[in-house]
Amino acid sequence: MDILTRFELRKIIRRKSFYTGIIILIAVAILSSVVLITNMQMTGEDGKFLNGTAAIQLEREYNRQLAGPLTIAAMEAAVRRHQDLLHDPSNLDEKGEMTVEANAKYDTKDNQIQFLITDAFSPASEYDYYLIDKINPEEMKSFYQKRLEKVRLFLNSNKSDNNYTAKEKAYFTKLNEEITVPFQMDYVTGWKNVFENLPSLFLIIAFVIGFCLAPVFAGEYQRGTDAIVLSTRYGRSKAIAAKLKASFIVSVGLIIFPILIYTFLILGVFGFDGGGAHVQMIKFLAPVPYTVFETYLWAVLIGSLACLMVGALTLWFSSRMSNSFSVIVATGVLLVGTQFIPESKNSRLLSYLTDLLPGNMFDSFRKITGYDVFNIVGQLVPTYKIMVVFSIIAIALLIPFTYRAFKKHQVV
């Protein structure tokens, strides 16, 4: 790292705004983790509710017993275990329903596999909670076919936001058919909770990045030091490059640091199990062939690029505006205001384009596991992949615009 970059880096990290941002990010990461942990609840074997880490440990123990390929035999056995409980009068109450004690002691341990079966065999747009009571175990042979049927029903639904073309329907159907089966089951609650608050965490990270980078150029105008900087030997070349490099180093650090804290806090308590499971264990109709961990990497990549794009936009605002406050306001409007743009009911393309705005890219898990696609010159490309390409191009274009704006600035 050259001397000028180190100098600009020190200028950023010595500001109070930087330390305030670090404290906010740590607090948000910890608070998000604590809320998810304390909200965990499960019925223990004695029929009493367990909360927090006790509930986490019990669910992890149950789901680890189910870990492995989601085979027809495994599903048939789960259905028979449940129905055998219903055939034993000692497990039923006066209404003929399973008692809380019997459910907690024998049935709860099969919840994960039961939920998947119910997802597959319930009628479209419904969830039949009592399906597992009456379904024939032999029907498990059609489990994966039932899932594909649900995909086709979704693609052919008459909802205004699901007006897929024949080509798009064929594309998503093929994607689902190419997913390897049987699915790999595992305990995935930890990863599911990681995905839960990622969008909010990325939003806070973007705000902090904008807050820290706002003075990089605008601060020079505000303090009147732009005349000094631009009149030096390297003021219109290396000094600007150093500011840009230092800004991106800070941005990357502000992304990696809280994401690692947040992820390791949650998985440290819930357990790191499940990274190799199919993401369909979390989002049943997801049309992607990824494991949970691969989906996490995609989600972090997209969210991080969105944050870097916010950083690049902030620097551009900073090079064009006369004070840091104006830059912060502009960045805030970009992040918050764009999230209130309603989805177009007449054009899916317009809705997809709004998804490319930074504030709408943070919920990347929903896009990765969803059914949004761009038609580019006859080629269908999932929206989440477009997000990656668009972010990189936007950042690459904003850097020279920012460089040129400060270089051509006329000192008054």
Side-chain angles (χ1 to χ4, degrees):
M1 189 186 301
D2 59 84
I3 295 174
L4 282 175
T5 302
R6 287 200 300 270
F7 174 70
E8 293 296 337
L9 193 58
R10 283 197 296 270
K11 283 172 65 177
I12 296 174
I13 64 177
R14 285 180 177 176
R15 296 189 184 106
K16 291 181 180 179
S17 59
F18 178 78
Y19 292 107
T20 302
I22 290 290
I23 292 170
I24 290 172
L25 289 175
I26 293 174
V28 169
I30 293 174
L31 181 61
S32 300
S33 305
V34 170
V35 168
L36 289 169
I37 292 166
T38 55
N39 284 347
M40 186 66 182
Q41 190 177 72
M42 191 173 183
T43 306
E45 291 188 0
D46 57 0
K48 296 180 180 178
F49 280 120
L50 298 176
N51 296 290
T53 55
I56 292 168
Q57 290 170 4
L58 184 60
E59 185 186 39
R60 185 167 60 208
E61 178 186 336
Y62 286 162
N63 289 1
R64 280 176 174 175
Q65 294 172 11
L66 298 173
L70 183 58
T71 61
I72 304 304
M75 288 184 282
E76 288 179 346
V79 173
R80 288 195 174 95
R81 283 195 297 270
H82 175 80
Q83 294 181 355
D84 286 345
L85 290 172
L86 292 176
H87 294 150
D88 185 347
S90 64
N91 296 324
L92 307 179
D93 58 21
E94 61 277 4
K95 295 180 181 179
E97 297 178 352
M98 189 181 299
T99 63
V100 173
E101 292 76 17
N103 178 270
K105 190 173 183 179
Y106 304 112
D107 205 42
T108 301
K109 59 186 66 177
D110 278 333
N111 275 356
Q112 186 184 32
I113 198 167
Q114 289 175 4
F115 292 154
L116 292 168
I117 292 169
T118 305
D119 265 338
F121 288 92
S122 289
S125 303
E126 294 181 25
Y127 190 88
D128 185 353
Y129 290 93
Y130 298 99
L131 180 142
I132 201 76
D133 297 350
K134 55 198 175 186
I135 194 168
N136 188 331
E138 295 294 323
E139 292 185 53
M140 295 304 105
K141 292 182 175 63
S142 62
F143 173 83
Y144 291 103
Q145 188 59 39
K146 284 289 184 181
R147 180 185 172 277
L148 291 176
E149 288 177 11
K150 277 210 156 181
V151 169
R152 294 188 185 98
L153 285 171
F154 169 76
L155 294 172
N156 289 289
S157 63
N158 294 322
K159 295 180 181 179
S160 60
D161 56 346
N162 284 359
N163 53 337
Y164 294 101
T165 65
K167 186 175 181 179
E168 290 168 344
K169 293 174 186 177
Y171 172 78
F172 282 117
T173 299
K174 184 180 179 182
L175 282 182
N176 278 283
E177 289 174 345
E178 290 176 348
I179 298 173
T180 57
V181 296
F183 293 155
Q184 184 68 27
M185 280 189 68
D186 206 340
Y187 168 73
V188 294
T189 302
W191 292 100
K192 183 178 180 180
N193 283 319
V194 168
F195 290 126
E196 182 76 20
N197 282 337
L198 265 183
S200 299
L201 183 59
F202 277 128
L203 178 63
I204 301 300
I205 291 171
F207 267 119
V208 171
I209 287 174
F211 194 60
C212 291
L213 300 189
V216 170
F217 295 108
E220 305 288 2
Y221 305 149
Q222 197 170 347
R223 294 187 299 270
T225 54
D226 52 329
I228 300 173
V229 174
L230 292 171
S231 63
T232 60
R233 180 180 179 184
Y234 298 116
R236 296 182 184 270
S237 55
K238 292 182 179 180
I240 304 174
K243 286 178 178 292
L244 292 171
K245 284 190 285 184
S247 297
F248 277 94
I249 290 170
V250 168
S251 297
V252 170
L254 290 173
I255 293 168
I256 293 175
F257 183 60
I259 290 297
L260 287 179
I261 291 176
Y262 170 74
T263 301
F264 279 91
L265 273 175
I266 292 180
L267 295 183
V269 176
F270 280 89
F272 288 83
D273 313 50
H278 278 66
V279 73
Q280 285 73 22
M281 296 299 100
I282 298 176
K283 188 71 175 291
F284 187 58
L285 295 185
V288 290
Y290 303 139
T291 64
V292 170
F293 182 65
E294 288 168 342
T295 306
Y296 169 78
L297 292 179
W298 271 107
V300 169
L301 173 64
I302 295 168
S304 299
L305 286 172
C307 289
L308 287 176
M309 184 160 54
V310 170
L313 282 163
T314 301
L315 290 172
W316 182 63
F317 291 151
S318 184
S319 70
R320 307 286 300 182
M321 296 180 176
S322 59
N323 61 78
S324 302
F325 181 74
S326 300
V327 178
I328 293 170
V329 170
T331 303
V333 170
L334 175 73
L335 284 172
V336 178
T338 55
Q339 295 187 30
F340 291 96
I341 299 176
E343 291 188 6
S344 172
K345 294 184 178 181
N346 300 316
S347 172
R348 281 196 299 118
L349 177 60
L350 184 59
S351 294
Y352 293 169
L353 288 173
T354 60
D355 286 336
L356 299 180
L357 296 171
N360 294 332
M361 289 176 61
F362 300 134
D363 193 3
S364 47
F365 176 77
R366 185 171 62 87
K367 290 302 177 184
I368 297 164
T369 58
Y371 285 76
D372 299 334
V373 65
F374 275 79
N375 191 329
I376 302 177
V377 197
Q379 296 295 317
L380 298 180
V381 185
T383 298
Y384 71 93
K385 291 184 178 179
I386 295 295
M387 286 177 168
V388 172
V389 176
F390 176 78
S391 300
I392 293 171
I393 292 173
I395 293 167
L397 290 175
L398 284 166
I399 291 173
F401 277 121
T402 302
Y403 186 100
R404 182 177 177 82
F406 190 70
K407 181 178 180 179
K408 298 297 182 181
H409 173 69
Q410 297 297 317
V411 180
V412 179

